[in-house]
């Protein structure tokens, strides 16, 4: 393991800061040729940032990078590629040019940088070279096929092919298996093993702990922008890894509440969306806060949207207080008493160019009108001012544009919109994302208040400590399914994390 | 700290802010003053009425475009719709001898189909509004041409059979195309649309959909229904515009509404910045149309050749867009 001398790379005390956050502080990391190194950590631990540093995406980091024992200066993607470091990002579509052929995409680097003085592309050579790369990797995709016609797994293969088409010594795979089916994952792993046997050093980021044991030798666990431990994977079981991922967290303040849980309000059976979600069953009781735990990509957002009628392909049987619901559109969902506070606040939850007041009354504007749908500014203003006060939204007035508020206050506006609507079921999708501690506390209290008034709350988050703190009951999602149902009082973060990462299954 | 920084930021750009809010109105006032001083007959009631008369049809059409812009759409087919409406209404009188009520009613009915078609294509196939309505622009223009067999429709025209057309255009119909009615109709259309967009629930919803369709959808607004409504209003106002063209000239010329499109687009976009609205609004559109017309009228009175007017229109539009987009970024 500790052999950065020859055929290896070493990152020494890497630190990087972005406005307002210290993303990495003094992280050490090493990878060796011909081995696969797993890089693990909860969401926001800094894995992707560290790998971006290695791939030359940032130039303002502090620290040293050594390759084969000599110092390497990596400040741009070009530097990284010159050394033979290639990265395959999770969002494959951003890296591929959809209306070019597979061959052109694979040979992109050569076409951009390797043309020299030539002005014309030698098409036959290009496709032959691309074909040779694919053949070496054991992949059968025609090189003249358009990338837009490929499946997601095939696109990933094309990206890997592009990486190894040039001199590739280290290959970073950022959560490559998240969108793949199990057979596609198996194919990917075959490829990884082959590259490994050719001497490529592979750095493998994943949230799925069980699969690490299939292909990885080494492991580094990160938490809160720091490296926690590096060692041989065979020395660590999943529970140990989870312990390192979580560590000792700061205790957060959650509101004291004694849940008064009534009869079943929302019941969902057999929800599938033909893609991500498979046969979801869940129910929410009156006055209950139910958690939906899962890591990024587990299908929480898809489930939340499906319950809100915002997922066109979803089929399910949903009842609210025994009444069957039609959830073909958000419009119907709202009318039937369901509210969603979406994850992508700025894009989905608020109207940034509109004033606070307009945002707050958006969902129930009919209540602020006189005859002929004529708006009543006075009524609107009264309701908006009341809500601003109740939620403690920090804004000069209800006429301030929402884009001038902070993230936490924007989130309060997004929530306030639905408080005015007085729905039966509130679905929160990552409500604390990008929200400061004070606003977080307000949001928790608000949720507790909703439950106390007999509303049902579904709280989806990847912040496991928050889920345990605020909810009464937890569903754990993994790979588009609900894999466990737990009582919040009888579980802890470690147990949750094990289920979230696909462990603990029979 | 933050607040003071913002205030400072505001002060240093106050000129831009001021120009953004009042630039259009100020320009109109300055132009009137300028032409009043340097030409002989500009500041007379007859030239003022002439200017209003000249903008009336294009303003009505531009107001429809404004509504489609409000929902984040872009209806390029308005010019063709106006041509079609002009052809239908005159032909109903001349070819079929219909009364005024039936003629106008049927024309509006036929042309609302245009709005339905536009909305259907844009909403169901998720094609960009501008591209889709570019296609329908050609289609409806072609339909209007085919319907009139590429000829001007007028009283006593020679029919394919060799006879003269027997129908007459009602005198009352000609009246609405004259001062003051045509100007009054335009002002009513602008006012009603402005009130609708600014002070009703439906207008508010339309702006929300235009501002952030995803968030509007997830706020439970019936987004598709409002987009349909916007295209219907757009088609309706284009139709009224087309009927007014007919009432003014008492014939249906080939592609009479076509040239209105670009005037309408220019007026609507200049209107974005009026009184700092920052979004499509009917009152702004009216002042946008007025600005262009005053400029053209005054320049013509100063003996600038009429064929150079497009240069002026384009320059004004470019300037207005520059201010609007600069403001958006800052």
């Amino acid at each position: 393991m500790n052999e950065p001398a020859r055929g290896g790379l070493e990152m020494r005390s890497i630190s990087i800061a972005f406005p307002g956050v210290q993303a990495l502080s003094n992280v050490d990391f090493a990878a060796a040729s011909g081995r696969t190194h797993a890089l693990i950590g909860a969401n926001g631990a800094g894995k992707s940032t560290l790998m971006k540093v290695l791939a030359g995406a940032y130039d303002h980091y502090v620290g040293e990078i050594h390759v084969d024992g000599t110092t390497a200066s990596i400040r741009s993607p070009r530097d990284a590629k010159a050394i033979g470091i290639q990265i395959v990002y999770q969002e494959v579509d951003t890296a591929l040019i959809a209306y070019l052929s597979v061959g052109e995409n694979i040979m992109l680097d050569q076409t951009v940088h390797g043309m020299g003085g030539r002005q014309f592309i030698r098409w036959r050579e290009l496709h032959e070279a691309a074909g040779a790369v694919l053949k070496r990797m054991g992949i059968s995709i025609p090189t003249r096929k358009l990338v837009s016609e490929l499946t997601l797994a095939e696109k990933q293969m094309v990206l890997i092919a592009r990486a190894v088409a040039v001199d590739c010594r280290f290959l970073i795979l950022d959560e490559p298996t998240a969108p793949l089916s199990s057979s596609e994952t198996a194919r990917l792993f075959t490829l990884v093993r082959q590259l490994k046997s050719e001497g490529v050093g592979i750095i493998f980021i994943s949230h799925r702990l069980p699969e690490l044991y299939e292909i990885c030798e080494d492991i580094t666990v990160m938490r809160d922008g720091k490296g926690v431990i590096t060692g041989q994977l065979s020395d660590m079981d999943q529970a140990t890894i989870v312990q390192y991922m979580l560590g000792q967290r700061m205790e957060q303040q959650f509101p004291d509440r004694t849940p008064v849980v009534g009869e079943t309000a929302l019941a969902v059976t057999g929800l599938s969306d033909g893609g991500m979600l498979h046969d979801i069953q869940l129910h929410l009781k009156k006055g209950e806060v139910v958690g939906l735990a899962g890591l990024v990509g587990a299908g929480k957002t898809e489930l939340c949207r499906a319950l809100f009628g915002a997922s066109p392909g979803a089929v399910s049987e949903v009842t609210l207080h025994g009444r069957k619901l039609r959830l073909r559109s958000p419009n119907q969902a709202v009318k039937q008493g369901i509210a969603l506070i979406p994850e992508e606040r700025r894009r989905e939850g608020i109207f940034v160019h509109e004033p606070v007041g307009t945002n707050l009354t958006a969902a129930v504007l009919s209540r602020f009108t006189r005859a002929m749908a004529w708006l009543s500014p006075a009524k609107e203003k009264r309701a908006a001012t009341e809500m601003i006060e109740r939620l403690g939204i920090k804004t000069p007035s209800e006429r301030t544009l929402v884009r001038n508020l902070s993230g936490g206050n924007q989130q309060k506006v997004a929530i306030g919109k639905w408080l005015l609507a007085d729905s039966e079921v509130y679905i929160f999708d990552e409500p604390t994302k990008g929200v400061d501690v004070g606003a977080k506390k307000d949001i928790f209290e608000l949720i507790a208040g909703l439950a106390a008034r007999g509303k049902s709350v579904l709280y989806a988050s990847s912040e496991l400590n928050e889920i345990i703190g605020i909810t009464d009951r937890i569903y754990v999602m993994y790979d588009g399914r609900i894999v466990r149902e737990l009582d919040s009082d009888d579980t802890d973060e470690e147990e949750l994390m094990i289920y979230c990462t696909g462990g603990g299954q029979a | 700290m933050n607040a003071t920084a913002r205030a400072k930021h505001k002060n240093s750009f106050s000129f831009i802010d001021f120009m953004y809010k009042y630039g259009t109105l100020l320009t109109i006032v300055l132009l009137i003053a300028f032409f009043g001083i340097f030409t002989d007959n500009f500041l007379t009631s007859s030239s003022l009425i002439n200017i209003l008369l000249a903008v009336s049809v294009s303003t009505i059409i531009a107001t429809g475009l404004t509504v489609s812009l409000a929902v984040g759409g872009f209806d390029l087919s308005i010019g063709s719709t106006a041509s079609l409406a002009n052809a239908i209404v005159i032909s109903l009188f001349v070819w079929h001898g219909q009364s005024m009520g039936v003629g106008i009613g049927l024309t509006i009915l036929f042309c609302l189909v245009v709005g339905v078609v536009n909305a259907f294509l844009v909403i169901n196939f998720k094609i960009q509004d501008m591209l889709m309505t570019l296609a329908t622009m050609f289609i409806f223009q072609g339909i209007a041409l085919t319907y009139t067999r590429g000829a001007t429709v007028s009283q006593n025209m020679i029919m394919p059979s060799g006879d003269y057309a027997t129908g007459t255009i009602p005198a009352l119909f000609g009246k609405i195309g004259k001062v003051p009615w045509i100007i009054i109709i335009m002002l009513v259309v602008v006012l009603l649309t402005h009130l609708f967009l600014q002070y009703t629930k439906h207008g508010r919803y339309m702006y929300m959909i235009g501002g952030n369709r995803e968030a509007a959808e997830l706020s439970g607004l019936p987004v598709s229904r409002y987009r349909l409504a916007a295209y219907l209003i757009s088609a309706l106002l284009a139709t009224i515009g087309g009927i007014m063209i007919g009432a003014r000239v008492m014939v249906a010329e080939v592609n009479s509404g076509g040239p209105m499109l670009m005037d309408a687009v220019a007026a609507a976009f200049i209107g974005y910045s009026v009184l700092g609205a920052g979004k499509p609004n009917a009152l702004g559109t009216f002042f946008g149309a007025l600005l262009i017309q005053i400029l053209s009228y005054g320049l013509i009175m100063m003996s600038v050749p009429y064929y150079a007017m497009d240069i002026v229109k384009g320059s004004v539009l470019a300037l207005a867009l520059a201010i609007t987009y600069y403001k958006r970024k800052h």
Side-chain angles (χ1 to χ4, degrees), chain A residues 305 330-331 347-348 350 366 373 375 380 417-418, chain B residues 199-202 204 208 212 214-215 217-220:
Chain A
R305 288 181 68 101
N331 185 239
R347 197 163 56 79
E348 304 173 328
I350 50 174
S366 309
L375 289 173
E380 227 187 317
K417 175 170 77 183
W418 293 115
Chain B
Y199 296 102
T200 71
K201 172 177 101 170
H202 308 297
R204 172 77 64 81
M208 287 183 153
N212 187 343
E214 183 82 17
E217 184 94 49
L218 290 182
S219 297

PDB file of all heavy atoms in Angstrom, chain A residues 305 330-331 347-348 350 366 373 375 380 417-418, chain B residues 199-202 204 208 212 214-215 217-220:
ATOM      1  N   ARG A 305     -41.689  13.785  -6.147  1.00  0.00           N
ATOM      2  CA  ARG A 305     -42.362  14.383  -7.309  1.00  0.00           C
ATOM      3  C   ARG A 305     -43.522  13.515  -7.766  1.00  0.00           C
ATOM      4  O   ARG A 305     -44.565  14.019  -8.167  1.00  0.00           O
ATOM      5  CB  ARG A 305     -41.374  14.586  -8.454  1.00  0.00           C
ATOM      6  CG  ARG A 305     -40.396  15.722  -8.191  1.00  0.00           C
ATOM      7  CD  ARG A 305     -39.441  15.901  -9.354  1.00  0.00           C
ATOM      8  NE  ARG A 305     -40.134  16.386 -10.529  1.00  0.00           N
ATOM      9  CZ  ARG A 305     -40.112  17.659 -10.931  1.00  0.00           C
ATOM     10  NH1 ARG A 305     -39.401  18.532 -10.276  1.00  0.00           N
ATOM     11  NH2 ARG A 305     -40.770  18.030 -11.986  1.00  0.00           N
ATOM     12  N   PRO A 330     -49.470  18.337 -10.776  1.00  0.00           N
ATOM     13  CA  PRO A 330     -49.362  19.054  -9.505  1.00  0.00           C
ATOM     14  C   PRO A 330     -50.639  19.839  -9.213  1.00  0.00           C
ATOM     15  O   PRO A 330     -51.049  19.967  -8.069  1.00  0.00           O
ATOM     16  CB  PRO A 330     -48.178  19.994  -9.730  1.00  0.00           C
ATOM     17  CG  PRO A 330     -47.355  19.321 -10.749  1.00  0.00           C
ATOM     18  CD  PRO A 330     -48.329  18.630 -11.657  1.00  0.00           C
ATOM     19  N   ASN A 331     -51.265  20.361 -10.267  1.00  0.00           N
ATOM     20  CA  ASN A 331     -52.498  21.103 -10.100  1.00  0.00           C
ATOM     21  C   ASN A 331     -53.548  20.270  -9.361  1.00  0.00           C
ATOM     22  O   ASN A 331     -54.189  20.729  -8.424  1.00  0.00           O
ATOM     23  CB  ASN A 331     -53.000  21.516 -11.496  1.00  0.00           C
ATOM     24  CG  ASN A 331     -54.234  22.399 -11.413  1.00  0.00           C
ATOM     25  OD1 ASN A 331     -55.271  22.067 -11.950  1.00  0.00           O
ATOM     26  ND2 ASN A 331     -54.113  23.515 -10.713  1.00  0.00           N
ATOM     27  N   ARG A 347     -34.911  26.918  -8.810  1.00  0.00           N
ATOM     28  CA  ARG A 347     -35.447  26.538 -10.109  1.00  0.00           C
ATOM     29  C   ARG A 347     -36.913  26.122 -10.006  1.00  0.00           C
ATOM     30  O   ARG A 347     -37.705  26.362 -10.908  1.00  0.00           O
ATOM     31  CB  ARG A 347     -34.612  25.397 -10.693  1.00  0.00           C
ATOM     32  CG  ARG A 347     -34.794  25.178 -12.173  1.00  0.00           C
ATOM     33  CD  ARG A 347     -33.654  24.344 -12.735  1.00  0.00           C
ATOM     34  NE  ARG A 347     -33.502  23.087 -12.060  1.00  0.00           N
ATOM     35  CZ  ARG A 347     -34.264  22.022 -12.292  1.00  0.00           C
ATOM     36  NH1 ARG A 347     -35.215  22.079 -13.173  1.00  0.00           N
ATOM     37  NH2 ARG A 347     -34.066  20.910 -11.633  1.00  0.00           N
ATOM     38  N   GLU A 348     -37.278  25.475  -8.871  1.00  0.00           N
ATOM     39  CA  GLU A 348     -38.590  24.851  -8.815  1.00  0.00           C
ATOM     40  C   GLU A 348     -39.523  25.446  -7.770  1.00  0.00           C
ATOM     41  O   GLU A 348     -40.718  25.268  -7.833  1.00  0.00           O
ATOM     42  CB  GLU A 348     -38.434  23.355  -8.510  1.00  0.00           C
ATOM     43  CG  GLU A 348     -37.543  22.631  -9.485  1.00  0.00           C
ATOM     44  CD  GLU A 348     -37.280  21.211  -9.049  1.00  0.00           C
ATOM     45  OE1 GLU A 348     -37.232  20.967  -7.824  1.00  0.00           O
ATOM     46  OE2 GLU A 348     -37.136  20.343  -9.913  1.00  0.00           O
ATOM     47  N   ILE A 350     -39.424  28.821  -6.103  1.00  0.00           N
ATOM     48  CA  ILE A 350     -39.749  30.231  -5.933  1.00  0.00           C
ATOM     49  C   ILE A 350     -39.635  30.966  -7.257  1.00  0.00           C
ATOM     50  O   ILE A 350     -39.029  30.479  -8.199  1.00  0.00           O
ATOM     51  CB  ILE A 350     -38.811  30.916  -4.907  1.00  0.00           C
ATOM     52  CG1 ILE A 350     -37.370  30.607  -5.255  1.00  0.00           C
ATOM     53  CG2 ILE A 350     -39.168  30.515  -3.507  1.00  0.00           C
ATOM     54  CD1 ILE A 350     -36.388  31.343  -4.403  1.00  0.00           C
ATOM     55  N   SER A 366     -56.516  32.574  -5.518  1.00  0.00           N
ATOM     56  CA  SER A 366     -57.967  32.761  -5.615  1.00  0.00           C
ATOM     57  C   SER A 366     -58.543  33.340  -4.328  1.00  0.00           C
ATOM     58  O   SER A 366     -59.578  33.989  -4.335  1.00  0.00           O
ATOM     59  CB  SER A 366     -58.651  31.425  -5.876  1.00  0.00           C
ATOM     60  OG  SER A 366     -58.036  30.789  -6.943  1.00  0.00           O
ATOM     61  N   ALA A 373     -62.066  37.569 -10.605  1.00  0.00           N
ATOM     62  CA  ALA A 373     -60.647  37.274 -10.432  1.00  0.00           C
ATOM     63  C   ALA A 373     -59.800  38.515 -10.222  1.00  0.00           C
ATOM     64  O   ALA A 373     -58.615  38.528 -10.479  1.00  0.00           O
ATOM     65  CB  ALA A 373     -60.109  36.469 -11.626  1.00  0.00           C
ATOM     66  N   LEU A 375     -57.636  41.010  -8.329  1.00  0.00           N
ATOM     67  CA  LEU A 375     -56.814  40.853  -7.133  1.00  0.00           C
ATOM     68  C   LEU A 375     -57.103  41.942  -6.108  1.00  0.00           C
ATOM     69  O   LEU A 375     -57.381  43.082  -6.454  1.00  0.00           O
ATOM     70  CB  LEU A 375     -55.341  40.920  -7.507  1.00  0.00           C
ATOM     71  CG  LEU A 375     -54.801  39.718  -8.270  1.00  0.00           C
ATOM     72  CD1 LEU A 375     -53.383  39.992  -8.721  1.00  0.00           C
ATOM     73  CD2 LEU A 375     -54.845  38.481  -7.406  1.00  0.00           C
ATOM     74  N   GLU A 380     -53.972  40.616   0.095  1.00  0.00           N
ATOM     75  CA  GLU A 380     -52.739  39.912  -0.195  1.00  0.00           C
ATOM     76  C   GLU A 380     -51.639  40.383   0.741  1.00  0.00           C
ATOM     77  O   GLU A 380     -50.890  39.599   1.301  1.00  0.00           O
ATOM     78  CB  GLU A 380     -52.345  40.209  -1.643  1.00  0.00           C
ATOM     79  CG  GLU A 380     -51.966  38.988  -2.428  1.00  0.00           C
ATOM     80  CD  GLU A 380     -51.416  39.355  -3.788  1.00  0.00           C
ATOM     81  OE1 GLU A 380     -51.990  40.244  -4.433  1.00  0.00           O
ATOM     82  OE2 GLU A 380     -50.406  38.755  -4.171  1.00  0.00           O
ATOM     83  N   LYS A 417     -45.469  29.565   1.220  1.00  0.00           N
ATOM     84  CA  LYS A 417     -46.446  29.447   0.151  1.00  0.00           C
ATOM     85  C   LYS A 417     -47.448  28.331   0.454  1.00  0.00           C
ATOM     86  O   LYS A 417     -48.644  28.479   0.246  1.00  0.00           O
ATOM     87  CB  LYS A 417     -45.683  29.144  -1.136  1.00  0.00           C
ATOM     88  CG  LYS A 417     -46.518  28.866  -2.339  1.00  0.00           C
ATOM     89  CD  LYS A 417     -45.636  28.818  -3.570  1.00  0.00           C
ATOM     90  CE  LYS A 417     -44.871  27.517  -3.687  1.00  0.00           C
ATOM     91  NZ  LYS A 417     -43.964  27.509  -4.836  1.00  0.00           N
ATOM     92  N   TRP A 418     -46.931  27.229   1.006  1.00  0.00           N
ATOM     93  CA  TRP A 418     -47.809  26.089   1.246  1.00  0.00           C
ATOM     94  C   TRP A 418     -48.515  26.170   2.588  1.00  0.00           C
ATOM     95  O   TRP A 418     -49.536  25.538   2.797  1.00  0.00           O
ATOM     96  CB  TRP A 418     -47.026  24.785   1.136  1.00  0.00           C
ATOM     97  CG  TRP A 418     -46.569  24.562  -0.259  1.00  0.00           C
ATOM     98  CD1 TRP A 418     -45.294  24.527  -0.711  1.00  0.00           C
ATOM     99  CD2 TRP A 418     -47.394  24.384  -1.408  1.00  0.00           C
ATOM    100  NE1 TRP A 418     -45.263  24.339  -2.055  1.00  0.00           N
ATOM    101  CE2 TRP A 418     -46.542  24.243  -2.511  1.00  0.00           C
ATOM    102  CE3 TRP A 418     -48.780  24.334  -1.620  1.00  0.00           C
ATOM    103  CZ2 TRP A 418     -47.019  24.058  -3.795  1.00  0.00           C
ATOM    104  CZ3 TRP A 418     -49.252  24.146  -2.911  1.00  0.00           C
ATOM    105  CH2 TRP A 418     -48.374  24.011  -3.984  1.00  0.00           C
TER     106      TRP A 418
ATOM    107  N   TYR B 199     -53.739  43.279 -12.773  1.00  0.00           N
ATOM    108  CA  TYR B 199     -54.598  43.315 -11.585  1.00  0.00           C
ATOM    109  C   TYR B 199     -55.514  42.112 -11.415  1.00  0.00           C
ATOM    110  O   TYR B 199     -56.346  42.107 -10.533  1.00  0.00           O
ATOM    111  CB  TYR B 199     -55.436  44.598 -11.596  1.00  0.00           C
ATOM    112  CG  TYR B 199     -54.587  45.833 -11.492  1.00  0.00           C
ATOM    113  CD1 TYR B 199     -54.306  46.613 -12.600  1.00  0.00           C
ATOM    114  CD2 TYR B 199     -54.020  46.191 -10.267  1.00  0.00           C
ATOM    115  CE1 TYR B 199     -53.498  47.729 -12.503  1.00  0.00           C
ATOM    116  CE2 TYR B 199     -53.211  47.306 -10.167  1.00  0.00           C
ATOM    117  CZ  TYR B 199     -52.953  48.070 -11.287  1.00  0.00           C
ATOM    118  OH  TYR B 199     -52.145  49.172 -11.185  1.00  0.00           O
ATOM    119  N   THR B 200     -55.403  41.112 -12.272  1.00  0.00           N
ATOM    120  CA  THR B 200     -56.223  39.933 -12.021  1.00  0.00           C
ATOM    121  C   THR B 200     -55.335  38.744 -11.695  1.00  0.00           C
ATOM    122  O   THR B 200     -54.151  38.721 -11.993  1.00  0.00           O
ATOM    123  CB  THR B 200     -57.093  39.542 -13.236  1.00  0.00           C
ATOM    124  OG1 THR B 200     -56.226  39.023 -14.247  1.00  0.00           O
ATOM    125  CG2 THR B 200     -57.878  40.726 -13.774  1.00  0.00           C
ATOM    126  N   LYS B 201     -55.977  37.786 -11.078  1.00  0.00           N
ATOM    127  CA  LYS B 201     -55.326  36.527 -10.738  1.00  0.00           C
ATOM    128  C   LYS B 201     -54.711  35.886 -11.978  1.00  0.00           C
ATOM    129  O   LYS B 201     -53.590  35.397 -11.949  1.00  0.00           O
ATOM    130  CB  LYS B 201     -56.407  35.619 -10.154  1.00  0.00           C
ATOM    131  CG  LYS B 201     -56.004  34.210  -9.913  1.00  0.00           C
ATOM    132  CD  LYS B 201     -57.129  33.447  -9.265  1.00  0.00           C
ATOM    133  CE  LYS B 201     -57.852  32.598 -10.282  1.00  0.00           C
ATOM    134  NZ  LYS B 201     -58.800  31.662  -9.662  1.00  0.00           N
ATOM    135  N   HIS B 202     -55.489  35.927 -13.078  1.00  0.00           N
ATOM    136  CA  HIS B 202     -55.021  35.239 -14.284  1.00  0.00           C
ATOM    137  C   HIS B 202     -53.748  35.877 -14.833  1.00  0.00           C
ATOM    138  O   HIS B 202     -52.830  35.185 -15.270  1.00  0.00           O
ATOM    139  CB  HIS B 202     -56.126  35.249 -15.332  1.00  0.00           C
ATOM    140  CG  HIS B 202     -57.430  34.743 -14.806  1.00  0.00           C
ATOM    141  ND1 HIS B 202     -57.566  33.448 -14.357  1.00  0.00           N
ATOM    142  CD2 HIS B 202     -58.612  35.346 -14.594  1.00  0.00           C
ATOM    143  CE1 HIS B 202     -58.806  33.277 -13.913  1.00  0.00           C
ATOM    144  NE2 HIS B 202     -59.459  34.423 -14.037  1.00  0.00           N
ATOM    145  N   ARG B 204     -51.532  37.522 -13.108  1.00  0.00           N
ATOM    146  CA  ARG B 204     -50.467  37.157 -12.183  1.00  0.00           C
ATOM    147  C   ARG B 204     -49.933  35.761 -12.502  1.00  0.00           C
ATOM    148  O   ARG B 204     -48.737  35.529 -12.570  1.00  0.00           O
ATOM    149  CB  ARG B 204     -51.013  37.211 -10.760  1.00  0.00           C
ATOM    150  CG  ARG B 204     -50.106  36.691  -9.699  1.00  0.00           C
ATOM    151  CD  ARG B 204     -49.011  37.662  -9.335  1.00  0.00           C
ATOM    152  NE  ARG B 204     -49.474  38.902  -8.754  1.00  0.00           N
ATOM    153  CZ  ARG B 204     -49.815  39.037  -7.465  1.00  0.00           C
ATOM    154  NH1 ARG B 204     -49.744  38.022  -6.647  1.00  0.00           N
ATOM    155  NH2 ARG B 204     -50.199  40.200  -7.017  1.00  0.00           N
ATOM    156  N   MET B 208     -46.187  34.499 -13.693  1.00  0.00           N
ATOM    157  CA  MET B 208     -45.454  33.473 -12.948  1.00  0.00           C
ATOM    158  C   MET B 208     -44.984  32.370 -13.872  1.00  0.00           C
ATOM    159  O   MET B 208     -43.862  31.887 -13.775  1.00  0.00           O
ATOM    160  CB  MET B 208     -46.356  32.886 -11.875  1.00  0.00           C
ATOM    161  CG  MET B 208     -46.564  33.854 -10.760  1.00  0.00           C
ATOM    162  SD  MET B 208     -47.547  33.116  -9.497  1.00  0.00           S
ATOM    163  CE  MET B 208     -46.940  34.048  -8.135  1.00  0.00           C
ATOM    164  N   ASN B 212     -41.031  31.504 -14.314  1.00  0.00           N
ATOM    165  CA  ASN B 212     -40.431  30.233 -13.921  1.00  0.00           C
ATOM    166  C   ASN B 212     -41.468  29.141 -14.083  1.00  0.00           C
ATOM    167  O   ASN B 212     -42.254  28.874 -13.180  1.00  0.00           O
ATOM    168  CB  ASN B 212     -39.954  30.309 -12.468  1.00  0.00           C
ATOM    169  CG  ASN B 212     -39.178  29.076 -12.058  1.00  0.00           C
ATOM    170  OD1 ASN B 212     -39.247  28.038 -12.711  1.00  0.00           O
ATOM    171  ND2 ASN B 212     -38.447  29.180 -10.966  1.00  0.00           N
ATOM    172  N   GLU B 214     -41.301  25.917 -14.302  1.00  0.00           N
ATOM    173  CA  GLU B 214     -41.162  24.754 -13.423  1.00  0.00           C
ATOM    174  C   GLU B 214     -41.768  25.053 -12.047  1.00  0.00           C
ATOM    175  O   GLU B 214     -42.545  24.260 -11.515  1.00  0.00           O
ATOM    176  CB  GLU B 214     -39.673  24.411 -13.278  1.00  0.00           C
ATOM    177  CG  GLU B 214     -39.385  23.194 -12.445  1.00  0.00           C
ATOM    178  CD  GLU B 214     -39.537  21.900 -13.222  1.00  0.00           C
ATOM    179  OE1 GLU B 214     -39.544  21.962 -14.470  1.00  0.00           O
ATOM    180  OE2 GLU B 214     -39.673  20.858 -12.585  1.00  0.00           O
ATOM    181  N   ALA B 215     -41.419  26.203 -11.499  1.00  0.00           N
ATOM    182  CA  ALA B 215     -41.945  26.566 -10.183  1.00  0.00           C
ATOM    183  C   ALA B 215     -43.453  26.776 -10.242  1.00  0.00           C
ATOM    184  O   ALA B 215     -44.169  26.437  -9.300  1.00  0.00           O
ATOM    185  CB  ALA B 215     -41.251  27.827  -9.665  1.00  0.00           C
ATOM    186  N   GLU B 217     -45.544  25.249 -12.240  1.00  0.00           N
ATOM    187  CA  GLU B 217     -46.100  23.895 -12.289  1.00  0.00           C
ATOM    188  C   GLU B 217     -46.141  23.298 -10.888  1.00  0.00           C
ATOM    189  O   GLU B 217     -47.148  22.755 -10.444  1.00  0.00           O
ATOM    190  CB  GLU B 217     -45.221  23.029 -13.209  1.00  0.00           C
ATOM    191  CG  GLU B 217     -45.735  21.631 -13.438  1.00  0.00           C
ATOM    192  CD  GLU B 217     -46.580  21.530 -14.692  1.00  0.00           C
ATOM    193  OE1 GLU B 217     -46.124  22.024 -15.735  1.00  0.00           O
ATOM    194  OE2 GLU B 217     -47.681  20.982 -14.611  1.00  0.00           O
ATOM    195  N   LEU B 218     -45.023  23.428 -10.169  1.00  0.00           N
ATOM    196  CA  LEU B 218     -44.927  22.834  -8.839  1.00  0.00           C
ATOM    197  C   LEU B 218     -45.643  23.662  -7.778  1.00  0.00           C
ATOM    198  O   LEU B 218     -45.696  23.260  -6.624  1.00  0.00           O
ATOM    199  CB  LEU B 218     -43.463  22.632  -8.448  1.00  0.00           C
ATOM    200  CG  LEU B 218     -42.726  21.544  -9.225  1.00  0.00           C
ATOM    201  CD1 LEU B 218     -41.312  21.392  -8.745  1.00  0.00           C
ATOM    202  CD2 LEU B 218     -43.445  20.213  -9.131  1.00  0.00           C
ATOM    203  N   SER B 219     -46.170  24.832  -8.168  1.00  0.00           N
ATOM    204  CA  SER B 219     -47.035  25.551  -7.237  1.00  0.00           C
ATOM    205  C   SER B 219     -48.483  25.170  -7.497  1.00  0.00           C
ATOM    206  O   SER B 219     -49.391  25.737  -6.913  1.00  0.00           O
ATOM    207  CB  SER B 219     -46.879  27.063  -7.402  1.00  0.00           C
ATOM    208  OG  SER B 219     -45.572  27.454  -7.086  1.00  0.00           O
ATOM    209  N   GLY B 220     -48.680  24.227  -8.407  1.00  0.00           N
ATOM    210  CA  GLY B 220     -50.022  23.741  -8.673  1.00  0.00           C
ATOM    211  C   GLY B 220     -50.815  24.571  -9.660  1.00  0.00           C
ATOM    212  O   GLY B 220     -52.019  24.422  -9.761  1.00  0.00           O
TER     213      GLY B 220
END
